[in-house]
């Protein structure tokens, strides 16, 4: 196994994840099989308990892993399916060490960070890197490891030490270290400053790791003199100093790396001769196509965590993939659900008016997943607006539950209809707690990962969008579901549950046949959307927004 380690210096938020996945893309384009590991030095065992407000979305894998959103980037860029073990956290490592200690596996020894924790990290990396993630058999050729945080953080120290030991045991020929850093520009003269990078490289070297390549982030292209200075002070050949300056869209990043011959430097370091010149035709087309798009479509995103757009990163990416397939630029209008509520008309009238104006100007409405009751009233109003005005609506997970509550209240007259999550006393519990396993233990009651949905009829929009397949496997992350005892009345009222799980008890997809596109899904289709292969539901949603859904469906009637 060959390893490419990507570390970061100076500041966080440099786009280390995009850089690491782009390195993977270029190596894959050279004919190599690539896998990846993300290390998050925080103590949380996984991202499941972390607030999307603070940390961005929780990405969900097929195996039910709740992981850092960077794994979504890897899956999308490399077109792979990762496992929960591809995300290493301090919490997971310590948990495994402590479990071993309790079992007596350390044979009476004092358990220490070095060597026990560092050995656990090394073993984890070595065993996970060989798991095939691209649908082929046998291990990949290269494993890209991204170390989260910035070099010098206290939390990442055991990982740096473990990686140093890994390098020592696998040998220089099998290890390539790329350090991502920032080159700021200061003052009126606009000088590109190398000192922060020098310091962070020095810090890395003090810990026993010397970068083979530097990936310098900057607004404008780096000057030759800046590169020379960096080379001299950081002990990295000029040819190995890559520059990732600002580009119009992230698909340019692999192209930027290729143009600077990053692959040659990496392949040389890894002593890999079997690689071919990188074939990035599809990426070039995608990156350039996107830049040339002029028309856009307005999408209202009515959610709870709208302050940080990373909170819905995969939804935004899925919208992007679907829009590009329709030669459109997405224009996402973020609406804080609570601004739509009646209370806000009194307390913050301006925000209320703006939110409603934005909603009315949108071509379609999306209510994404979420937890807790904040903004729920506003989401219900948005669903009602979309339903009554024939505006395309896509409800994802919480968004589906919202549409059921709204329908029960407005159409069936059940005024207090609600989800058990928001009102435990409701007489009309249209959405209820339906755990697959334990009913008492909060930590493990979530229904997580890939589950099968069977279409109940071929004669519905979603079955047609999924190319008339009989079933679809999508990823889940929820506790509550439509109450199976209420399905009868809801269907009599006109709502149709066209997708159910294998037991027929769990409602997976709803449609409102009297509406051009009113779809709710209990799963999260956004997690499996890929550039060039948009999620069928998102594609249908965008096509409906521009009035082209019917034409598309009749054209693709034979499942082509
Ligand atoms: N809070 C809802 C549930 O637990 C929806 C979850 C979600 O949208 N991911 O079922």
């Amino acid at each position: 196994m060959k390893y490419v380690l990507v570390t970061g210096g100076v500041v966080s938020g440099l786009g280390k994840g995009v850089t690491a996945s782009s390195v993977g893309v270029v190596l894959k384009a050279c004919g190599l099989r690539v896998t990846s590991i993300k290390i998050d030095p925080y103590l949380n065992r996984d991202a499941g308990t972390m607030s999307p407000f603070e940390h961005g979305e929780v990405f969900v894998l097929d195996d039910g892993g709740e992981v850092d959103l960077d794994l979504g980037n890897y899956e999308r860029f490399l077109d792979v399916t990762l496992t929960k073990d591809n995300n290493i956290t301090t919490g997971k490592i310590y948990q495994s060490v402590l479990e071993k200690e309790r079992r007596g596996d350390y044979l009476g020894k004092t358990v220490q960070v070095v060597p026990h924790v560092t050995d656990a990290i090394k073993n984890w990396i070595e065993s996970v890197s060989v798991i095939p993630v691209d649908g082929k058999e046998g291990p990949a050729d290269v494993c890209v490891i991204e170390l989260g945080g910035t070099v010098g953080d206290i939390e990442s120290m055991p990982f740096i030490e473990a990686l140093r030991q890994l390098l020592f045991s696998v040998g220089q020929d099998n290890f390539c270290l790329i350090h991502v850093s920032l080159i700021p520009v200061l003052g009126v003269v606009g000088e590109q400053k190398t000192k922060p990078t020098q310091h962070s490289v020095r810090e890395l070297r003090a810990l026993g790791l010397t970068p083979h390549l530097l990936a310098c982030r900057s607004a404008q292209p780096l000057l030759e003199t800046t590169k020379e200075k960096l080379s001299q002070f950081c002990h990295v050949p000029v040819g190995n100093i890559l520059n990732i300056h600002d580009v119009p869209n992230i698909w340019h990043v692999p192209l930027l790396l290729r143009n600077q011959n990053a692959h040659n430097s990496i392949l040389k370091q890894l002593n890999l001769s079997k690689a071919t010149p990188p074939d990035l035709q599809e990426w070039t087309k995608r990156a350039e196509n996107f830049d040339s798009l002029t028309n856009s479509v307005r999408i209202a995103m009515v959610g709870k965590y709208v302050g940080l757009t990373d909170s819905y990163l995969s939804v935004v990416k899925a919208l992007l993939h679907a829009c590009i397939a329709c030669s459109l630029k997405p224009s996402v209008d973020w609406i804080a659900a609570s601004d739509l509520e009646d209370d806000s008309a009194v307390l913050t009238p301006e925000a209320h008016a703006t939110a409603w104006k934005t909603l009315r100007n949108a071509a379609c409405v999306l209510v994404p997943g979420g937890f807790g009751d904040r903004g729920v009233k506003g989401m219900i109003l948005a669903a009602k607006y979309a339903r009554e005005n024939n505006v395309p609506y896509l409800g994802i997970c919480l968004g589906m539950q919202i549409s059921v509550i709204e329908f029960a209240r407005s159409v069936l007259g059940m005024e207090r209809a609600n989800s058990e999550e928001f009102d435990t006393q409701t007489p009309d519990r249209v959405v209820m707690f339906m755990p697959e396993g334990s009913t008492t233990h909060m930590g493990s009651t979530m229904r997580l990962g890939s589950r099968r949905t069977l279409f109940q009829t071929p004669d519905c929009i979603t079955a047609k969008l999924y190319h008339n397949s009989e079933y679809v496997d999508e990823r889940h992350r929820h506790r509550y579901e439509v109450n199976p005892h209420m399905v009868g009345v809801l269907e009599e009222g006109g709502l149709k549950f066209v997708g159910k799980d294998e037991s027929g008890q769990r409602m997976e997809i709803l449609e409102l046949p009297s509406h051009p596109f009113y779809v709710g899904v209990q799963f999260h289709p956004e997690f499996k959307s890929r550039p060039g292969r948009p999620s069928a539901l998102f594609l249908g949603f965008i096509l409906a927004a521009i009035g082209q859904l019917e034409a598309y469906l009749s054209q693709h009637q034979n499942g082509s």
Side-chain angles (χ1 to χ4, degrees):
M1 176 60 58
K2 308 268 179 185
Y3 296 97
V4 174
L5 169 63
V6 180
T7 56
V10 185
V11 288
S12 59
L14 277 179
K16 195 158 23 97
V18 172
T19 308
S21 10
S22 301
V23 166
V25 167
V26 178
L27 294 177
K28 190 178 165 190
C30 292
L32 298 167
R33 288 177 55 209
V34 182
T35 181
S36 75
I37 293 177
K38 168 84 198 285
I39 299 178
D40 283 305
Y42 47 66
L43 271 162
N44 305 55
R45 204 191 53 153
D46 61 39
T49 55
M50 298 173 86
S51 158
F53 273 127
E54 231 177 85
H55 203 75
E57 98 183 344
V58 176
F59 192 77
V60 181
L61 300 169
D62 264 0
D63 68 4
E66 298 174 274
V67 295
D68 188 84
L69 52 78
D70 275 322
L71 273 85
N73 266 333
Y74 290 112
E75 283 207 344
R76 285 186 287 266
F77 267 50
L78 299 174
D79 199 7
V80 291
T81 304
L82 299 172
T83 73
K84 56 176 97 166
D85 289 343
N86 290 71
N87 194 189
I88 307 181
T89 63
T90 297
K92 281 184 188 169
I93 295 291
Y94 273 80
Q95 193 172 36
S96 74
V97 169
L98 291 174
E99 275 166 10
K100 254 176 107 174
E101 186 271 335
R102 289 291 86 187
R103 280 199 307 267
D105 291 359
Y106 292 113
L107 306 173
K109 289 224 162 28
T110 309
V111 182
Q112 296 180 296
V113 173
V114 182
H116 302 106
V117 169
T118 46
D119 277 352
I121 296 170
K122 240 178 0 179
N123 294 339
W124 193 302
I125 292 174
E126 286 183 305
S127 60
V128 170
S129 62
V130 294
I131 301 174
V133 293
D134 55 1
K136 297 189 185 130
E137 280 186 20
D141 301 302
V142 181
C143 176
V144 177
I145 306 172
E146 178 193 347
L147 177 62
T150 355
V151 170
D153 294 347
I154 290 180
E155 299 174 316
S156 47
M157 291 300 179
F159 291 102
I160 302 245
E161 171 57 16
L163 290 159
R164 189 196 61 76
Q165 290 181 21
L166 180 70
L167 161 64
F168 188 66
S169 67
V170 300
Q172 287 282 349
D173 272 5
N174 297 311
F175 202 95
C176 176
L177 170 52
I178 306 177
H179 187 60
V180 184
S181 181
L182 173 73
I183 305 292
V185 166
L186 279 191
V188 265
V189 269
E191 196 190 345
Q192 295 178 330
K193 294 293 192 187
T194 62
K195 194 69 90 190
T197 304
Q198 292 180 39
H199 279 298
S200 77
V201 170
R202 189 175 304 158
E203 183 126 32
L204 201 52
R205 294 181 68 195
L207 299 169
L209 287 170
T210 302
H212 302 106
L213 283 91
L214 289 183
C216 301
R217 288 281 293 112
S218 61
Q220 298 298 324
L222 284 193
L223 302 172
E224 270 318 298
T225 49
T226 313
K227 283 194 182 178
E228 279 158 18
K229 205 162 162 188
L230 281 167
S231 168
Q232 204 172 14
F233 290 112
C234 300
H235 208 78
V236 174
V238 176
N240 285 4
I241 298 184
L242 310 170
N243 177 210
I244 302 173
H245 53 77
D246 291 352
V247 281
N249 67 65
I250 57 169
W251 295 321
H252 282 284
V253 180
L255 308 177
L256 208 57
L257 293 175
R258 189 262 329 258
N259 295 349
Q260 298 174 51
N261 285 319
H263 50 289
N264 286 341
S265 307
I266 299 170
L267 296 172
K268 195 166 144 215
Q269 174 61 35
L270 294 177
N271 203 9
L272 269 172
S273 47
K274 72 168 192 174
T276 54
D279 173 8
L280 286 167
Q281 265 185 39
E282 221 181 292
W283 283 80
T284 313
K285 218 166 77 191
R286 192 175 299 135
E288 288 173 359
N289 269 356
F290 182 69
D291 291 340
S292 65
L293 294 177
T294 44
N295 294 339
S296 68
V297 55
R298 299 201 85 95
I299 305 148
M301 272 272 266
V302 184
K304 173 178 168 188
Y305 322 105
V306 293
L308 177 68
T309 51
D310 266 5
S311 308
Y312 302 110
L313 187 70
S314 294
V315 176
V316 174
K317 296 290 177 197
L319 286 170
L320 181 66
H321 303 156
C323 281
I324 292 186
C326 303
S327 296
L328 292 167
K329 256 193 176 141
S331 165
V332 179
D333 291 325
W334 299 91
I335 301 177
S338 49
D339 285 348
L340 294 170
E341 296 171 4
D342 296 346
D343 287 353
S344 133
V346 183
L347 299 169
T348 47
E350 261 177 49
H352 180 261
T354 314
W356 274 101
K357 192 168 165 215
T358 313
L359 186 67
R360 290 200 178 97
N361 279 336
C364 51
V365 178
L366 197 158
V367 177
F371 293 83
D373 63 358
R374 182 140 62 91
V376 161
K377 277 193 223 142
M379 294 174 201
I380 292 175
L381 288 170
K384 185 178 167 72
Y385 162 81
R387 185 178 57 78
E388 290 180 344
N389 294 283
N390 285 334
V391 177
Y393 175 86
L394 179 59
I396 297 177
C397 206
L398 176 63
M400 170 189 186
Q401 300 170 0
I402 291 288
S403 58
V404 171
I405 298 169
E406 192 280 317
F407 192 83
R409 287 187 188 177
S410 313
V411 182
L412 304 181
M414 302 175 180
E415 269 172 43
R416 282 191 58 197
N418 216 330
S419 162
E420 214 180 329
E421 184 180 8
F422 313 126
D423 180 1
T424 47
Q425 304 303 321
T426 171
D428 294 308
R429 201 166 48 130
V430 287
V431 177
M432 65 183 277
F433 184 42
M434 271 177 66
E436 277 179 335
S438 151
T439 48
T440 49
H441 195 264
M442 272 307 263
S444 59
T445 50
M446 196 93 90
R447 188 164 176 252
L448 281 169
S450 183
R451 297 285 187 282
R452 183 151 293 182
T453 295
L454 305 179
F455 287 107
Q456 307 296 304
T457 161
D459 190 22
C460 60
I461 293 177
T462 39
K464 288 179 193 156
L465 282 170
Y466 278 108
H467 302 302
N468 301 326
S469 9
E470 283 170 16
Y471 65 86
V472 56
D473 295 327
E474 294 276 13
R475 298 179 183 173
H476 294 70
R477 182 174 185 249
H478 61 100
R479 285 197 179 87
Y480 299 86
E481 280 175 68
V482 178
N483 182 345
H485 303 297
M486 299 291 243
V487 166
V489 276
L490 289 162
E491 291 213 321
E492 270 165 40
L495 213 53
K496 294 287 174 249
F497 293 94
V498 298
K500 298 183 185 174
D501 80 329
E502 283 153 319
S503 74
Q505 290 302 298
R506 298 177 191 273
M507 302 305 120
E508 293 280 3
I509 309 175
L510 70 77
E511 286 186 20
L512 188 59
S514 58
H515 188 286
F517 189 96
Y518 193 83
V519 176
V521 284
Q522 191 53 74
F523 49 78
H524 290 268
E526 68 271 25
F527 294 135
K528 284 173 71 172
S529 181
R530 298 278 192 271
R533 230 173 337 111
S535 151
L537 281 170
F538 280 81
L539 182 63
F541 176 57
I542 296 300
L543 286 166
I546 54 172
Q548 288 179 13
L549 181 62
E550 258 175 62
Y552 172 87
L553 290 180
S554 55
Q555 215 182 347
H556 292 78
Q557 229 166 18
N558 320 321
S560 58

